[in-house]
Amino acid sequence: MTHPFLDLAPLSAAQFASIEDRVARLLGTRQDVVIMQGEALLPLEGAIRSAAGPGTTALNVITGPYGQTFGDWLRDCGAKVIDLAVPFHTAVTAAQISEAFAEHPEIGFVSLVHAEAATGNTNPVAEIGSVVRAHGALFYLDAVASIGAEPVLPDAWGVDLCVIGAQKAMGGPAGVSAVSVSERAWTRMAANAQAPRRSYLSLLDWKERWIDGGRRTLLHAPAQLEMLALDACVERIEAEGLDAVMARHASAAAATRAGAVALGEGLEPYVHEAREAAPVATTLRTPPGVVASELVTRALSSDPSLPLAAGGGALAKEMIRVNHYGADATAETVRRCLGALGAALAEAGRR
């Protein structure tokens, strides 16, 4: 028996390199781009462990759960961590970053999530990048949720380590991910005695054995199907046009916010200001007395395919997330989600 997913010629180093080049063009970067063979947590953790260690003072911005995770990794590396936490219904500002540098001029590493799909906010990376670069710190950015939904420009914004994944707005696979790395970041890693080596987490292994070798010999057998899916995913974005893809996401987000308010009965956007709301997903706050997880369960009972979820942890009581990303970044998906939520509210005794 033959199967199109199984009977494929091995992915060559040249094909692998061409996919990296395609991702680099998507990011508009001239930095080295490494595609790592795992979900985005792999380069997210690998980049921190490669660039931070004892002697590092890190400013870790927390606008959602991933920021909290980054702080844990940084501490585990032996770094001194200064957490800058803001309420999840808002975004951090460049002024707050400047204030942190004024209080702690020794900061040499800044970690930030661009868009927090879990909480629905997005941060002004371009403004923050200017502040970070002015102070000479290394800038690490999680752009997993934002890529494809809004501009991600590591070179223009002064981002030294920019991690992306394809499973959200890009509408692609979850099993491979990528990180763009500046020369400053490579230098920092090379000077870090604790940077992972001969490890799946190691970015320096990719630098020395793949990039410095002219991208002729892969470190190990690649995740072939995931790599081909990533290539097809970026090709589809190129065909539609990145601006058009981002416009779909922005339109879906605006429609979701407006539709939630129109439903009435206290359902409202969780992120107060539209300019601070991420276009990848919209979070909504449930009316008093309505448990979000129960409302979502009721809404999904009519259509389990809807991209609806309750918030994680304590947020399950008050937050609903409409995941209008990738193929679901359409007006029809938004209408279906809002219709199901409206029907669920009515079943719960609301108008």
Side-chain angles (χ1 to χ4, degrees):
M1 176 183 178
T2 60
H3 196 288
F5 290 161
L6 299 178
D7 302 310
L8 296 169
L11 192 72
S12 69
Q15 286 176 292
F16 193 103
S18 72
I19 299 171
E20 283 185 336
D21 292 341
R22 181 166 248 166
V23 172
R25 288 193 295 273
L26 180 69
L27 289 169
T29 184
R30 295 188 176 184
Q31 298 177 0
D32 291 323
V33 170
V34 177
I35 297 179
M36 300 191 76
Q37 304 299 283
E39 197 270 339
L41 281 174
L42 174 63
L44 286 169
E45 182 175 358
I48 281 181
R49 294 192 181 279
S50 294
T56 301
T57 299
L59 175 64
N60 180 52
V61 182
I62 301 175
T63 58
Y66 279 101
Q68 295 169 330
T69 298
F70 300 160
D72 292 339
W73 288 339
L74 287 162
R75 291 182 180 89
D76 191 49
C77 291
K80 174 186 174 183
V81 181
I82 299 158
D83 285 326
L84 172 56
V86 302
F88 289 175
H89 65 261
T90 186
V92 72
T93 66
Q96 289 172 304
I97 303 294
S98 293
E99 291 169 7
F101 274 110
E103 293 177 16
H104 303 278
E106 71 275 19
I107 291 170
F109 186 96
V110 176
S111 52
L112 175 71
V113 178
H114 187 184
E116 285 270 12
T119 51
N121 53 35
T122 191
N123 294 300
V125 182
E127 299 169 21
I128 292 169
S130 297
V131 174
V132 175
R133 181 49 63 93
H135 287 82
L138 210 67
F139 193 11
Y140 162 100
L141 184 70
D142 172 356
V144 174
S146 54
I147 183 68
E150 55 188 305
V152 177
L153 303 168
D155 291 10
W157 296 344
V159 178
D160 296 288
L161 293 158
C162 182
V163 178
I164 67 168
Q167 69 266 33
K168 288 189 168 64
M170 288 176 64
V176 288
S177 46
V179 54
S180 64
V181 187
S182 72
E183 285 301 322
R184 287 175 3 114
W186 286 130
T187 300
R188 182 76 66 90
M189 292 180 205
N192 181 12
Q194 289 196 176
R197 307 301 293 267
R198 296 170 296 282
S199 164
Y200 211 58
L201 285 171
S202 177
L203 284 172
L204 285 173
D205 286 356
W206 283 97
K207 172 76 164 68
E208 295 172 0
R209 297 171 56 192
W210 170 245
I211 296 172
D212 292 349
R215 299 194 299 177
R216 293 185 179 89
T217 304
L218 288 161
L219 274 66
H220 46 73
Q224 174 154 306
L225 295 180
E226 298 279 356
M227 288 295 294
L228 294 175
L230 176 62
D231 193 34
C233 161
V234 180
E235 183 178 26
R236 186 165 61 182
I237 291 172
E238 291 171 348
E240 182 177 353
L242 180 58
D243 287 344
V245 175
M246 292 190 293
R248 277 199 292 109
H249 285 81
S251 178
T256 304
R257 290 178 67 88
V261 173
L263 282 176
E265 283 299 317
L267 193 67
E268 62 183 17
Y270 191 88
V271 178
H272 296 178
E273 300 292 336
R275 59 184 172 78
E276 296 177 342
V280 66
T282 299
T283 48
L284 304 172
R285 190 185 300 275
T286 54
V290 176
V291 178
S293 58
E294 295 175 359
L295 189 67
V296 167
T297 298
R298 190 176 286 117
L300 290 177
S301 66
S302 63
D303 186 352
S305 69
L306 292 174
L308 291 171
L315 295 176
K317 294 182 179 181
E318 64 178 9
M319 178 191 285
I320 295 170
R321 194 170 71 239
V322 183
N323 295 317
H324 47 65
Y325 53 69
D328 285 325
T330 66
E332 177 58 27
T333 296
V334 171
R335 280 194 291 268
R336 288 169 55 219
C337 288
L338 292 172
L341 287 173
L345 282 168
E347 289 178 19
R350 307 284 173 149
R351 287 186 302 168

